[in-house]
Amino acid sequence: GQGIVERGLHSAGPDVASNNARSPVWPPLVRRRSSVARTGIVGDIRVVREPLSLLHVVPSINPRTGGPAASVPGLAGAQARGGLAVAVASLDYEEHGDSPEIPGVRSLASPPSALGRRLRGWSPALRRLILEAAVRADIVHSHALWMVPGIYARQAAESLGRPLVISPRGMLDPWSLERSRLKKLLAAGAYENRNLGAARLLHATSDLESESVRRYGLRQPVTVLPNGVELTRAGEIHGRELLERR
């Protein structure tokens, strides 16, 4: 049977345009409205807030599964060091390397079933983990597109009234959309446009990616924040001669 692994420690934007004139072949985006309640200070009462709690949802953080497997743990670790309460939910594809343990981050992982491997990460076990973790989260942040875990992130955010942030991770760039184009057109109409339409904020890692987001037809606020880079400690920097030999 499947096993579930848990490791570690425990403003509204404008609507999405329903169509993009420059990309008419893509199914129309779903228009959504949502609101976020904010707690204020009443009279002379001092309100003590708990640290902001974030739930990251990513198809996988196994090291050989692609870029998000490196960028998402890096982001989550940096946020935890900054004093935030952070959790990462993902599928655990053990054959692609051991998932990293991220200090200070609560890791929620479920191995994919044989059927889930064929159905883009379909996993009732992961869905349950995400819904349970979202109860404690202030923000749900979904990474990458075209996979079923993104549906779970959107469902959790909508059901609990949490703001949803989506990082496409380059998957709306023109060259990426052209790969398996027919499958992506079907996925866009079936679920991905609904996911994107529910996002309160979109995260691009470059101005070029931001342009791709707009070209696709998304009109929510976009923040451009490059992936962080953890600099090697000075004592571990290799000399020029060693690098040239490699």
Side-chain angles (χ1 to χ4, degrees):
Q2 287 192 349
I4 297 173
V5 178
E6 179 173 340
R7 294 198 304 264
L9 306 174
H10 176 68
S11 71
D15 290 337
V16 180
S18 59
N19 277 299
N20 178 9
R22 288 173 291 180
S23 303
V25 296
W26 293 94
L29 300 169
V30 178
R31 299 174 67 90
R32 300 217 166 257
R33 293 182 184 274
S34 58
S35 61
V36 181
R38 296 294 184 189
T39 303
I41 298 178
V42 180
D44 295 328
I45 299 175
R46 181 170 177 265
V47 178
V48 179
R49 290 186 174 88
E50 295 181 352
L52 188 70
S53 178
L54 305 174
L55 170 62
H56 292 282
V57 178
V58 59
S60 172
I61 57 173
N62 299 90
R64 293 193 293 275
T65 57
S71 57
V72 175
L75 172 61
Q79 290 171 332
R81 292 193 297 274
L84 305 184
V86 186
V88 175
S90 65
L91 291 167
D92 186 10
Y93 295 86
E94 294 182 346
E95 70 273 21
H96 294 299
D98 295 334
S99 297
E101 293 192 18
I102 314 166
V105 174
R106 184 166 167 248
S107 180
L108 308 169
S110 176
S113 65
L115 182 59
R117 291 173 183 273
R118 293 178 176 272
L119 297 180
R120 308 298 296 166
W122 175 82
S123 171
L126 181 63
R127 181 177 184 271
R128 184 170 63 253
L129 285 175
I130 291 170
L131 286 171
E132 291 173 352
V135 172
R136 296 189 257 179
D138 296 304
I139 297 171
V140 177
H141 190 163
S142 181
H143 301 264
L145 307 179
W146 317 117
M147 296 287 286
V148 174
I151 300 176
Y152 302 151
R154 189 254 307 160
Q155 290 174 337
E158 289 184 331
S159 65
L160 295 166
R162 306 294 192 261
L164 175 66
V165 178
I166 293 182
S167 296
R169 299 293 173 185
M171 296 183 185
L172 291 179
D173 291 351
W175 68 268
S176 180
L177 292 175
E178 288 301 320
R179 298 184 62 184
S180 303
R181 181 179 177 82
L182 178 58
K183 291 181 180 179
K184 287 176 179 175
L185 282 167
L186 294 174
Y191 59 86
E192 198 58 71
N193 281 350
R194 184 175 180 182
N195 294 345
L196 290 166
R200 297 284 297 280
L201 177 70
L202 297 162
H203 165 223
T205 57
S206 67
D207 291 333
L208 188 61
E209 185 180 15
S210 178
E211 292 172 7
S212 296
V213 168
R214 292 296 185 227
R215 187 180 300 112
Y216 190 81
L218 298 165
R219 294 293 177 261
Q220 301 103 311
V222 178
T223 183
V224 178
L225 293 172
N227 289 323
V229 176
E230 187 170 347
L231 297 177
T232 306
R233 288 177 294 182
E236 297 178 354
I237 296 176
H238 299 300
R240 181 184 182 88
E241 302 79 12
L242 177 60
L243 295 175
E244 289 178 343
R245 285 202 303 271
R246 291 184 176 181

